Amino acid sequence: MNILPEWVQWIQALAPAAASVAALVAGSLGWATYSQRRTADRRDQWWKRAQWAIDASMDADDNERQVIGAAILVHLAESDLCMPDDRDLLLQVLVAARDAVLDTEEPNGETGSEGGGDDGKPSEDEAEAG
């Protein structure tokens, strides 16, 4: 004969299942927190790379750095971490960088003081090669 009330016997029988459910809920919450934190850290690193690439793509003194910055911006825009608003921002930066490069071009279509002009005559290098 059992001296405990029937409801206490039910609690004793369900206690292992309740502990398992509680552990499952706690594990799920822990995983969700970890996943959210990991995504936030990855987005933070993505944004640091984007900031560097934006600075590089706008560097009017170093054309090679501009090209590398623009290439990295394109790559970052294709990332799964890139949100639609971020993509729009990167596109605007790329357009601004392109416009800045075009504004520095000379009227004959060449940048800087290198090259042989666009007067229809071959440059010395072209004349020697041709």
Side-chain angles (χ1 to χ4, degrees):
M1 181 164 161
N2 197 347
I3 59 171
L4 294 173
E6 187 177 337
W7 64 271
V8 173
Q9 292 174 9
W10 277 100
I11 291 175
Q12 284 179 334
L14 295 176
S20 297
V21 169
L24 185 62
V25 168
S28 297
L29 290 174
W31 179 257
T33 301
Y34 166 76
S35 179
Q36 182 181 16
R37 182 66 192 165
R38 183 173 176 256
T39 300
D41 288 345
R42 290 180 66 213
R43 286 257 319 136
D44 180 57
Q45 289 301 313
W46 179 92
W47 184 245
K48 287 178 182 178
R49 290 182 189 106
Q51 287 176 317
W52 181 91
I54 289 169
D55 290 341
S57 69
M58 300 304 287
D59 187 353
D61 298 330
D62 189 349
N63 288 341
E64 185 175 321
R65 188 167 186 249
Q66 278 184 317
V67 171
I68 291 170
I72 291 172
L73 285 176
V74 170
H75 177 74
L76 290 171
E78 296 170 351
S79 169
D80 62 333
L81 297 171
C82 187
M83 300 291 120
D85 289 344
D86 297 333
R87 239 178 232 103
D88 294 341
L89 172 71
L90 296 182
L91 177 62
Q92 290 176 354
V93 169
L94 286 169
V95 168
R98 181 203 63 200
D99 291 346
V101 168
L102 292 177
D103 286 345
T104 62
E105 286 186 353
E106 293 181 2
N108 63 5
E110 295 191 20
T111 58
S113 60
E114 300 174 7
D118 193 29
D119 57 1
K121 299 177 186 174
S123 67
E124 292 179 23
D125 293 336
E126 291 173 333
E128 290 175 12

